[in-house]
Amino acid sequence: MPINTPNMPNPTKPDLTGLASSYEAGTLIEPHAHKAHQIVHAISGTMRVMVLDRIWFVPPGRALWVPAQTEHAIRCIGLVEMRTAYLSEAYAAPHSGVLVIAVSGLMREILVRLATCDEAGLNLALAEVLLAEISDGVLEPLSLPIPADSRIAKLSNQLQANPADQTPLPAWAKHLGYSERNLIRHIRSETGMTFRELRRLTRVLVALDRLSAGQSVTQVAYDVGFETPSAFIHAFRTIIGQTPRQFMAGV
């Protein structure tokens, strides 16, 4: 679909623009890049953003920092109300790579204001505060590797599409045409994780979509394949650093 993009900021001087946009569930914004740094935040709905060799999960209460000239694609999970700020390359990038940041109340209000404000002087003042918030924001471990190997990518995609799938490693090896030992080696080389670690991380990240949609912790735990809610809470806290309720309280 066409990319809903405002006029980009002037690249030769400190400048920024804001954008408010809405996307239906399932919308795919095709791969593209901007000549400006970007901070994108969904005030409702969740996004999955594909950048280079990683897929980033962006629930409400979090934002994705994308440096200028970085190609990315966005998949909208549910109806997404998006607020975006584009910052000129004249600003020093507070982070060199793509990452997810916890959105403070102040950052959220700035992003909402920039989407409706057209006052150059005020925008420049807000830019300084926004950059400080981005620089100091809490970084979130909300991404999965995108395997280059097509068979490992197939495994990863299936785990995302059906996180409750209990297919054991030997069955996956047979299905993908590997010996069990070779599959273990390829998963490690492609993702940096064991099969168990990859499946657990995938389940926790997919759970973010469902928690953000208002499902209960208990329902989500079973839906993404954990045997008990307590096992889900333990895995979530181990990976995210908070319990599901604590994480969602920041939305």
Side-chain angles (χ1 to χ4, degrees), residues 42-124:
I43 60 174
S44 65
T46 62
M47 300 177 287
R48 296 186 190 177
V49 184
M50 288 68 72
V51 186
L52 299 175
D53 59 350
R54 300 196 75 81
I55 178 170
W56 296 85
F57 290 68
V58 190
R62 274 68 189 171
L64 190 75
W65 167 257
V66 184
Q69 314 295 343
T70 303
E71 185 174 88
H72 56 288
I74 301 175
R75 171 78 70 183
C76 298
I77 311 299
L79 174 66
V80 170
E81 291 288 339
M82 192 183 298
R83 300 296 181 267
T84 309
Y86 300 91
L87 296 112
S88 164
E89 284 189 275
Y91 288 110
H95 302 285
S96 60
V98 174
L99 43 81
V100 174
I101 304 170
V103 175
S104 67
L106 179 57
M107 185 191 297
R108 184 184 188 278
E109 291 307 312
I110 291 172
L111 291 171
V112 171
R113 181 63 181 269
L114 287 171
T116 58
C117 177
D118 195 26
E119 300 175 32
L122 177 58
N123 280 5
L124 290 177

Side-chain angles (χ1 to χ4, degrees), residues 152-171:
I152 305 304
K154 181 179 180 179
L155 167 61
S156 180
N157 291 338
Q158 177 60 25
L159 293 177
Q160 292 175 50
N162 185 13
D165 186 349
Q166 300 291 347
T167 302
L169 184 67

Side-chain angles (χ1 to χ4, degrees), residues 15-213:
D15 191 20
L16 82 164
T17 57
L19 174 69
S21 49
S22 300
Y23 297 98
E24 296 293 332
T27 296
L28 174 63
I29 303 173
E30 299 288 347
H32 62 285
H34 299 291
K35 295 181 180 180
H37 305 306
Q38 179 181 7
I39 183 80
V40 57
H41 166 55
I43 60 174
S44 65
T46 62
M47 300 177 287
R48 296 186 190 177
V49 184
M50 288 68 72
V51 186
L52 299 175
D53 59 350
R54 300 196 75 81
I55 178 170
W56 296 85
F57 290 68
V58 190
R62 274 68 189 171
L64 190 75
W65 167 257
V66 184
Q69 314 295 343
T70 303
E71 185 174 88
H72 56 288
I74 301 175
R75 171 78 70 183
C76 298
I77 311 299
L79 174 66
V80 170
E81 291 288 339
M82 192 183 298
R83 300 296 181 267
T84 309
Y86 300 91
L87 296 112
S88 164
E89 284 189 275
Y91 288 110
H95 302 285
S96 60
V98 174
L99 43 81
V100 174
I101 304 170
V103 175
S104 67
L106 179 57
M107 185 191 297
R108 184 184 188 278
E109 291 307 312
I110 291 172
L111 291 171
V112 171
R113 181 63 181 269
L114 287 171
T116 58
C117 177
D118 195 26
E119 300 175 32
L122 177 58
N123 280 5
L124 290 177
L126 291 176
E128 296 299 332
V129 181
L130 178 60
L131 285 165
E133 288 290 292
I134 294 169
S135 179
D136 295 340
V138 177
L139 309 185
E140 304 275 13
L142 306 184
S143 71
L144 283 169
I146 300 175
D149 182 282
S150 61
R151 287 182 288 180
I152 305 304
K154 181 179 180 179
L155 167 61
S156 180
N157 291 338
Q158 177 60 25
L159 293 177
Q160 292 175 50
N162 185 13
D165 186 349
Q166 300 291 347
T167 302
L169 184 67
W172 270 113
K174 182 176 181 181
H175 177 66
L176 295 173
Y178 286 115
S179 68
E180 187 174 343
R181 178 175 294 180
N182 276 339
L183 178 56
I184 291 170
R185 179 170 59 84
H186 276 81
I187 291 174
R188 172 70 74 177
S189 66
E190 289 288 320
T191 70
M193 291 177 275
T194 65
F195 172 70
R196 181 180 179 182
E197 290 168 341
L198 175 62
R199 184 164 62 183
R200 184 181 68 165
L201 176 58
T202 301
R203 286 173 171 173
V204 166
L205 294 182
V206 170
L208 295 174
D209 298 334
R210 305 180 187 215
L211 290 169
S212 299

Side-chain angles (χ1 to χ4, degrees), residues 234-250:
H234 175 75
F236 195 100
R237 182 164 44 201
T238 298
I239 292 169
I240 305 298
Q242 297 175 299
T243 66
R245 287 193 174 89
Q246 289 170 335
F247 184 88
M248 294 308 299

